[in-house]
Amino acid sequence: MISEKMAEAINEQINAEMYSGYLYLSMAVDFAEKNLDGFEHWLRLQAQEELDHGMRFLDYLQERGGHVELETIEKPEVEWKTPLEAFEYVYQHECKVTGMINDLVDLAEKENDRATMNMLQWFVDEQVEEEDSADEIVQKLKMVGDNPSALLMMNEKMAQRPVSEENTE
Ligand code: FEO
């Protein structure tokens, strides 16, 4: 059975992942209101991925006999001035989540909880991807600058994000 300390930390992570989903959904709505439906599409898929991350932690905690306790989800921001500002926010947020995952790994090591360490490895790898994809979008938006036609082209590209296997699991 999982330790109480570990269970408590995983419960906090469930909340953080659900919050990430809420944050990206809020951002998707903001893009929709600005008629950038490709960005909206990308963020809706991202929001779904985050909810799936939360469920992955929840399922694991249940499987290990830990008590799941869902807490209040904080209200996310509702508006970003520019697409660049929004995706810089995504990148910073993902770096923060990486730090949280690393803290969970540290705790699992301290608790000598091999199963949790093993489960967390998936998230360690996932965070590499999450940071990389957010950073790539930030860099592209910097190249777009104030050029509306370049932004519309990028919007078209963002609309092509496929539903990942993770989304269909
Ligand atoms: Fe669940 Fe974007 O990390």
Side-chain angles (χ1 to χ4, degrees):
M1 187 164 165
I2 199 159
S3 74
E4 259 184 49
K5 239 186 189 172
M6 198 73 245
E8 201 180 303
I10 290 176
N11 270 309
E12 280 170 22
Q13 193 64 33
I14 293 171
N15 188 272
E17 300 290 347
M18 296 297 180
Y19 170 77
S20 299
Y22 223 40
L23 172 66
Y24 297 150
L25 202 51
S26 179
M27 211 175 260
V29 168
D30 188 35
F31 273 105
E33 286 175 4
K34 288 163 181 156
N35 298 312
L36 289 166
D37 57 343
F39 286 91
E40 178 200 5
H41 166 79
W42 194 98
L43 283 156
R44 274 178 174 252
L45 289 183
Q46 194 58 33
Q48 187 58 54
E49 268 198 16
E50 299 300 351
L51 301 180
D52 291 346
H53 292 170
M55 290 306 293
R56 195 181 266 256
F57 277 112
L58 188 150
D59 290 343
Y60 175 76
L61 191 50
Q62 279 188 327
E63 208 180 337
R64 293 287 312 279
H67 173 61
V68 173
E69 194 158 327
L70 300 178
E71 296 287 347
T72 308
I73 301 171
E74 196 189 322
K75 181 179 177 187
E77 301 221 9
V78 293
E79 199 176 2
W80 289 266
K81 283 198 197 97
T82 62
L84 177 60
E85 191 183 281
F87 274 88
E88 277 175 336
Y89 198 96
V90 173
Y91 178 70
Q92 291 305 330
H93 183 70
E94 287 305 327
C95 292
K96 191 172 140 197
V97 172
T98 301
M100 295 174 86
I101 299 289
N102 290 342
D103 288 348
L104 284 174
V105 173
D106 289 347
L107 181 63
E109 266 172 10
K110 225 165 113 191
E111 300 280 300
N112 208 14
D113 184 343
R114 305 285 162 111
T116 299
M117 279 160 65
N118 203 31
M119 178 276 292
L120 287 171
Q121 191 54 48
W122 185 90
F123 283 97
V124 170
D125 296 339
E126 175 70 7
Q127 282 313 117
V128 174
E129 255 181 59
E130 297 273 76
E131 283 186 27
D132 183 52
S133 59
D135 185 51
E136 194 183 317
I137 295 168
V138 167
Q139 298 314 319
K140 283 183 180 165
L141 283 169
K142 281 184 180 168
M143 283 191 263
V144 164
D146 290 332
N147 182 336
S149 45
L151 182 63
L152 287 178
M153 264 171 67
M154 188 165 169
N155 184 56
E156 293 299 310
K157 279 269 175 223
M158 296 292 275
Q160 288 165 19
R161 177 179 178 174
V163 177
S164 72
E165 272 177 36
E166 196 189 321
N167 280 125
T168 56
E169 263 172 22

